[in-house]
């Protein structure tokens, strides 16, 4: 199978790494990719928001499968253009990807499908914003209706901060605060059959102890030793399958990766949001634990034959990923700094720990930073404590001027194992 992956972050590096280990994959391409992905796939320049350009590249490469990683190309309809060219594509249509592209649309789908979620108001005027903030009170949860690269949500006790964020958005969703731990659960679907993956938890805040501003994610771990063993079955029955059934009923079937961001509240499971693609950095830990070769599963989704997919096999190992971010992230990051220590991790920590590249590029023989989140250092172990130890040992070998990372990824969960 010849596979083309679209994107250039750590999520795409994780996908490419898994696909490169799949014996059925005979050629692996990525566009545009990054310095790390170049080690496992052939890179090609492309405007990833240009569906026609992506479809042309896929045809030139004689691709048997195209995997669209990021949300922006999906919302822009790139998967539609690839399918129109007669090439199987893993990823929802532009219309179905509105589930992530519009928080208001997602709320409408959830209401129709009886999916449990936070009560909310969709606001477009200052008067509506003030009314909604007054109705819910602190802590205030304010979400930009559109795509915001994981940074469009403000949770604050300060009403002025909440109001300022709301006024900066064209359309905003203001909702009740959901207490309890958060869980990310991915499911692969062909629009009818839904195949859940293993749950993970990510860390959105920039600083230790869940302090600081929201980010795209500073680390993740899987499995969740504290979670109810019946959690996946419950979410399948109350969230994932009803959502897929409702989208099909509306004539906008969703095939690809449905990501449910969940809060395990005192009143039960509630959906915080849906995404239409693999999450970053949760993908890094979920795929580290997946034993079943990936390409065939994604192809079944693309071809509408997921009911023929045997049950997924999982490793007993735990996985932890720690994000190394550049100076000033999540503000305007500093880029162009050399990254050292990558060879040391490869020599001393493999196969239990490895580095997935996010914002990197090659400058001659040197790998340099090229974004806010620069690397996802991922490790596996017999339990979370061992996986954490290995991940942080590898992080310690990496040298990047001004770099920052959280030191408490999976710390409490590792304590919950005993």
């Amino acid at each position: 199978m010849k596979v083309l992956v679209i994107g250039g972050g750590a999520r795409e590096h994780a996908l490419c790494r898994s696909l490169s280990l799949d014996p059925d994959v005979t050629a692996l391409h990525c566009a545009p990719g990054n310095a790390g992905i170049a080690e496992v796939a052939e890179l090609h320049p492309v405007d990833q928001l240009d569906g026609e350009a992506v479809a042309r590249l896929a045809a030139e490469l004689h691709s048997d499968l195209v995997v669209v990683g990021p949300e922006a190309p999906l919302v822009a309809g790139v998967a539609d253009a690839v399918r129109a060219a007669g090439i199987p594509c893993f990823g929802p249509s532009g219309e179905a990807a509105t589930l992530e592209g519009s928080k208001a649309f997602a709320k409408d789908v959830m209401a129709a499908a009886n999916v449990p979620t936070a009560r909310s108001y969709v606001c477009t005027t200052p008067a509506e914003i003030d009314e909604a903030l007054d109705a819910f009170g602190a802590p205030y949860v304010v979400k930009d209706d559109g795509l915001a690269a994981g940074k469009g949500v403000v949770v604050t006790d300060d009403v002025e901060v909440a109001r300022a964020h709301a006024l900066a958005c064209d359309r905003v969703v203001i909702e009740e605060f959901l207490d309890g731990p958060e869980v990310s659960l991915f499911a692969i679907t062909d629009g009818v059959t839904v195949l859940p993956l293993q749950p993970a938890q990510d860390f959105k805040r920039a600083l230790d102890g869940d302090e600081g501003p929201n980010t795209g994610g500073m680390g993740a771990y899987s499995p969740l030793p504290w979670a109810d063993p019946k959690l996946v079955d419950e979410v399948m029955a109350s969230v994932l399958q009803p959502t897929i059934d409702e989208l099909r009923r509306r004539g906008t079937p969703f095939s690809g990766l449905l990501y449910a961001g969940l809060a395990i509240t005192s009143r039960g499971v509630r959906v915080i949001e849906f995404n239409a693609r693999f999450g970053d950095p949760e993908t890094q830990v979920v795929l580290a634990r997946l034993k079943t070769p990936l390409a065939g599963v994604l192809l079944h989704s693309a071809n509408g034959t997921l009911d023929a997919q045997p049950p997924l096999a999982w490793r007993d190992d735990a996985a932890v990923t720690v994000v190394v971010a550049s100076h000033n992230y999540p503000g305007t990051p500093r880029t162009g700094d050399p990254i050292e220590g990558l060879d040391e991790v490869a020599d001393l920590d493999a196969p239990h720990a490895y580095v997935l590249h996010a914002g990197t590029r090659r400058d001659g023989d040197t790998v340099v930073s090229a974004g806010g989140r620069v690397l996802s250092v991922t490790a596996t172990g017999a339990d979370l404590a061992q996986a954490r130890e290995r991940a942080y040992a590898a992080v310690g070998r990496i040298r990047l001027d001004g770099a920052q990372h959280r030191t408490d990824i999976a710390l409490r969960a590792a304590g919950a194992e005993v």
Side-chain angles (χ1 to χ4, degrees):
M1 197 190 305
K2 296 175 183 168
V3 183
L4 169 62
V5 176
I6 302 301
R11 163 187 45 226
E12 286 76 36
H13 194 175
L15 287 163
C16 285
R17 180 181 183 274
S18 289
L19 290 165
S20 74
L21 298 172
D22 187 331
D24 288 339
V25 175
T26 52
L28 182 58
H29 303 270
C30 185
N34 62 39
I37 295 173
E39 295 173 19
V40 294
E42 187 180 336
L43 302 192
H44 305 268
V46 78
D47 176 354
Q48 55 185 345
L49 296 177
D50 184 339
E52 300 306 321
V54 171
R56 268 197 310 277
L57 176 62
E60 285 165 17
L61 297 172
H62 304 288
S63 305
D64 300 302
L65 174 67
V66 175
V67 180
V68 183
E71 58 272 25
L74 290 168
V75 173
V78 167
D80 302 276
V82 172
R83 279 192 277 267
I87 301 166
C89 186
F90 180 80
S93 67
E95 205 173 349
T98 308
L99 197 65
E100 176 168 4
S102 167
K103 305 281 191 304
F105 175 77
K107 289 288 188 185
D108 188 57
V109 170
M110 283 188 268
N114 256 343
V115 168
T117 186
R119 292 179 300 119
S120 63
Y121 294 102
V122 179
C123 307
T124 54
T125 69
E128 288 173 347
I129 288 166
D130 288 340
E131 195 179 328
L133 292 173
D134 288 345
F136 287 127
Y140 304 98
V141 181
V142 184
K143 300 180 175 182
D144 190 333
D145 181 55
L147 292 181
K151 292 179 286 227
V153 179
V154 164
V155 181
T156 178
D157 287 324
D158 187 327
V159 70
E160 292 308 323
V161 170
R163 183 180 284 112
H165 182 65
L167 290 171
C169 305
D170 287 337
R171 185 158 76 149
V172 69
V173 174
I174 296 173
E175 63 183 39
E176 68 175 325
F177 177 76
L178 296 175
D179 63 338
E182 294 184 13
V183 173
S184 300
L185 184 61
F186 302 160
I188 291 171
T189 177
D190 58 5
V192 179
T193 301
V194 181
L195 194 63
L197 306 186
Q198 290 286 307
Q201 186 174 57
D202 79 332
F203 293 74
K204 283 282 184 228
R205 298 284 187 168
L207 306 175
D208 284 3
D210 290 329
E211 299 289 329
N214 257 355
T215 71
M218 294 300 290
Y221 69 93
S222 178
L224 312 181
W226 49 268
D228 187 328
K230 300 190 291 291
L231 176 65
V232 173
D233 291 341
E234 181 189 336
V235 175
M236 263 294 289
S238 66
V239 175
L240 298 170
Q241 192 71 58
T243 300
I244 292 302
D245 292 346
E246 171 61 19
L247 286 165
R248 189 174 69 252
R249 188 191 67 74
R250 290 175 177 226
T252 53
F254 185 109
S255 81
L257 195 289
L258 178 62
Y259 161 158
L262 309 164
I264 314 301
T265 77
S266 52
R267 293 173 294 141
V269 174
R270 297 286 184 274
V271 175
I272 300 168
E273 65 176 2
F274 283 124
N275 291 325
R277 39 72 197 180
F278 279 102
D280 183 349
E282 300 98 323
T283 302
Q284 290 84 304
V285 291
V286 172
L287 291 185
R289 299 186 57 223
L290 179 65
K291 206 188 263 185
T292 301
L294 183 62
V297 187
L298 303 186
L299 188 62
H300 273 309
S301 164
N303 285 337
T305 54
L306 204 54
D307 58 344
Q309 172 66 42
L312 297 178
W314 296 92
R315 296 184 179 87
D316 292 332
D317 283 3
V320 171
T321 194
V322 179
V323 170
V324 176
S326 55
H327 177 72
N328 200 41
Y329 178 77
T332 305
R334 193 173 79 206
T335 59
D337 289 315
I339 303 165
E340 297 174 341
L342 297 172
D343 291 342
E344 291 169 42
V345 175
D347 292 342
L348 300 171
D349 299 295
H352 300 300
Y354 48 89
V355 179
L356 297 168
H357 291 232
T360 69
R361 61 178 175 83
R362 279 213 168 268
D363 185 1
D365 291 336
T366 309
V367 176
V368 300
S369 60
R373 291 186 295 174
V374 181
L375 305 168
S376 283
V377 181
T378 304
T380 55
D383 54 22
L384 286 173
Q386 187 180 47
R388 277 192 90 245
E389 192 179 313
R390 288 170 169 172
Y392 279 107
V395 168
R397 302 190 205 284
I398 290 164
R399 295 176 296 284
L400 169 63
D401 189 41
Q404 53 174 318
H405 66 272
R406 281 184 59 159
T407 65
D408 61 348
I409 304 300
L411 181 61
R412 283 178 62 189
E417 287 173 330
V418 257

